[in-house]
Amino acid sequence: MGALNTFPLSLKVRGRSILIIGGGDEALNKARLAAKTSAEVVVVSPEPEADFSGLGVHVAARMVGACDFFNAAMVFVADHGVEGERAKKLARRAGVPLNVVDVPDQCDFYTPSIVERAPLTIAISSEGEAPVLARLVRARIEAMLSPGLGKIASLAGSLRKSVESLIQDGASRRRFYEALVTTPEIDRTGAEALLAAHADGGKGAGIVWLIGAGPGAEDLLTLRAQRLLQEADVIVHDQLVPTAVVEMGRRDAERISVGKAKGHHSFSQAQINTLLVRLGAEGKRVARLKSGDPMVFGRAGEEIAALRKAGIGYAIVPGVSAALAAAADTATPVTLRKVSSGVVFATAHGAEDGDLAHWAALAGAGITLALYMGKSIAGDVASRLVAHGIAGTMPVGIVVNAGRADRSLYAGTLDALARDAIAFSDGPAVILIGPAVAAGDWEQAVALAPQNMQVA
Ligand code: SAH
């Protein structure tokens, strides 16, 4: 490993000044950066051109002088003319660290890319070698950290004394702080309740997050889902959730598959409810991962009822539901002006004749039907819909494995589906029915997930 040529540190600037020499856009950028601190920011330029108003910085429209460096913690030179040259000499004489904007050779220090959740600061530096890489890493870290993290860091600081008096054992204290910093949007009252629960003799409060994993591709997870997966002690997942998503959890998190594949129930819903309540009561942070969106055909209603009854905290994190993945995968606008004024998510599995009559009327009025859990009975459902009066020419589209690398598409009419003229490939499927389906690009739409290589 190569040696570092710079040393990262956090320099105290409170009560001091940050000096910026120059009055153009480069100076303005540095002024914005410096204005994030509590230092006094002084911009010196004989003729400032940029608009520094609103930043709360002091603009001195004059030449730079030795006294400007008196209390300066650092100086940015963003003037490549005579004033800049003078400022560099003065800075060196006063021993103030110098950054000459865009001239790395003349810099005493570089400014890293910063992820800021004050007082928490994360600095990423490539020693000026690869700023693009540093920015990319910064974007990834940004995405990982909740916007409210800074507030939580301050909360942790303000509770330090109480924690010391209430929790004696080091490991228990660590568990409290872990629970505190990983509870999104916690406020002071919540933090105090958490502390009471962790106080000697107490047990940390558990929580169950019902998280939508989307249809398959990992990058369709929300940022929040990704973050909570990292925080969970236990991940309880359905069979439809792809391994790659389950793998995104913390390496040492316990993983429990409750594998509810059709026709093979390894856990009953009642057993899953009991499991979630037990884990929550043990103080565990549980990620209950479901395919698509948890609130759509996900039995979330029963799990939430069980958690509420047991007084276990819970929260919902939405995901991309299969019907919407199918719409994206085929560029089908499921609502379309003057064609389709709405969309219905329905389950074909176990549908009564009355339901079908109802849907037939809706589809006849242009509403798009998105049928879940219907592949094995698709032909039957199609013929019953025709019997209830939908035209046999009504456009139908089926997406198997929507949002996954192995997706397959079928477009046709209700008649063709009723005749069982379509041979499906394996996997979960959404059936879209309605006039808006004809507006989709079933031939050439860009796939939602990168497709597998075709071997000729
Ligand atoms: N909560 C899930 C639905 C779970 S019910 C969601 O919001 O998507 C299971 C049904 O969802 C399957 O029978 C199938 O109809 C549909 N489904 C789930 N994943 C799918 C996928 N990747 N492609 C197509 N349909 C899918």
Side-chain angles (χ1 to χ4, degrees):
M1 234 199 305
L4 290 174
N5 292 317
T6 59
F7 186 82
L9 46 81
S10 297
L11 185 70
K12 262 192 194 162
V13 295
R14 188 172 168 193
R16 303 187 64 186
S17 68
I18 296 178
L19 195 57
I20 295 164
I21 309 299
D25 286 341
E26 283 182 347
L28 181 63
N29 279 335
K30 296 301 171 194
R32 268 202 203 101
L33 184 66
K36 288 179 191 278
T37 69
S38 60
E40 184 196 12
V41 180
V42 183
V43 178
V44 184
S45 164
E47 284 169 18
E49 289 152 20
D51 179 9
F52 292 90
S53 60
L55 285 181
V57 305
H58 178 70
V59 180
R62 55 165 171 76
M63 287 165 66
V64 61
C67 58
D68 290 322
F69 294 82
F70 167 62
N71 190 31
M74 64 184 87
V75 54
F76 291 96
V77 174
D79 175 318
H80 302 291
V82 196
E83 272 295 282
E85 286 309 318
R86 256 167 29 80
K88 287 181 215 169
K89 284 201 190 89
L90 289 168
R92 297 220 164 89
R93 198 173 303 156
V96 177
L98 174 69
N99 177 289
V100 184
V101 179
D102 284 342
V103 191
D105 284 350
Q106 297 184 13
C107 287
D108 297 329
F109 68 91
Y110 305 124
T111 47
S113 290
I114 292 174
V115 179
E116 189 224 294
R117 301 284 190 276
L120 183 77
T121 325
I122 298 158
I124 302 122
S125 160
S126 62
E127 296 193 344
E129 300 277 347
V132 175
L133 176 65
R135 276 200 292 276
L136 200 88
V137 171
R138 173 181 175 275
R140 295 217 173 150
I141 295 179
E142 274 288 355
M144 272 171 57
L145 301 179
S146 143
L149 208 58
K151 249 181 27 211
I152 296 179
S154 307
L155 253 180
S158 70
L159 287 172
R160 270 246 300 276
K161 287 239 148 55
S162 323
V163 174
E164 275 163 26
S165 69
L166 288 169
I167 312 177
Q168 302 311 321
D169 159 59
S172 310
R173 267 185 211 161
R174 202 177 53 241
R175 267 198 301 281
F176 162 73
Y177 283 120
E178 264 176 27
L180 176 70
V181 300
T182 54
T183 308
E185 276 119 54
I186 195 163
D187 57 6
R188 185 152 195 111
T189 324
E192 280 164 358
L194 193 67
L195 178 56
H198 277 77
D200 288 345
K203 186 162 53 180
I207 184 163
V208 177
W209 297 300
L210 288 94
I211 300 177
E218 303 104 275
D219 59 351
L220 285 174
L221 236 62
T222 61
L223 298 178
R224 185 175 300 186
Q226 185 197 10
R227 196 170 73 233
L228 295 177
L229 274 174
Q230 283 287 317
E231 292 171 12
D233 304 310
V234 188
I235 299 171
V236 179
H237 60 94
D238 285 346
Q239 207 251 340
L240 266 181
V241 178
T243 322
V245 176
V246 180
E247 285 305 315
M248 285 169 76
R250 250 185 23 212
R251 206 177 325 170
D252 55 350
E254 186 185 349
R255 288 167 172 77
I256 304 175
S257 165
V258 289
K260 285 211 295 181
K262 190 160 170 289
H264 136 96
H265 290 233
S266 55
F267 272 64
S268 70
Q269 186 59 47
Q271 284 171 323
I272 296 174
N273 299 348
T274 311
L275 173 70
L276 296 178
V277 167
R278 177 171 63 75
L279 293 169
E282 283 171 5
K284 298 274 173 43
R285 288 163 307 163
V286 184
R288 170 73 177 107
L289 253 188
K290 292 167 178 292
S291 77
D293 183 279
M295 308 306 258
V296 178
F297 303 124
R299 315 268 315 244
E302 289 142 87
E303 294 174 15
I304 292 169
L307 293 167
R308 287 177 68 174
K309 189 158 161 246
I312 310 278
Y314 68 93
I316 320 286
V317 181
V320 177
S321 193
L324 299 176
D329 239 337
T330 57
T332 301
V334 287
T335 68
L336 186 59
R337 239 170 78 80
K338 296 200 164 59
V339 176
S340 166
S341 65
V343 55
V344 172
F345 291 3
T347 164
H349 183 74
E352 305 276 334
D353 221 45
D355 298 328
L356 287 161
H358 193 53
W359 301 342
L362 290 171
I367 301 276
T368 306
L369 304 179
L371 301 184
Y372 287 66
M373 295 176 275
K375 201 176 72 175
S376 58
I377 45 164
D380 177 49
V381 169
S383 39
R384 282 158 75 197
L385 286 172
V386 173
H388 281 292
I390 311 191
T393 51
M394 181 67 84
V396 173
I398 297 150
V399 184
V400 182
N401 291 317
R404 301 182 181 187
D406 54 354
R407 71 143 200 211
S408 34
L409 312 179
Y410 307 87
T413 60
L414 210 50
D415 264 344
L417 188 58
R419 275 186 277 113
D420 275 331
I422 301 178
F424 298 109
S425 45
D426 279 348
V430 167
I431 306 173
L432 297 176
I433 301 173
V437 173
D441 182 358
W442 291 72
E443 297 293 323
Q444 301 200 2
V446 176
L448 196 48
Q451 297 298 285
N452 288 338
M453 299 268 282
Q454 297 289 320
V455 182

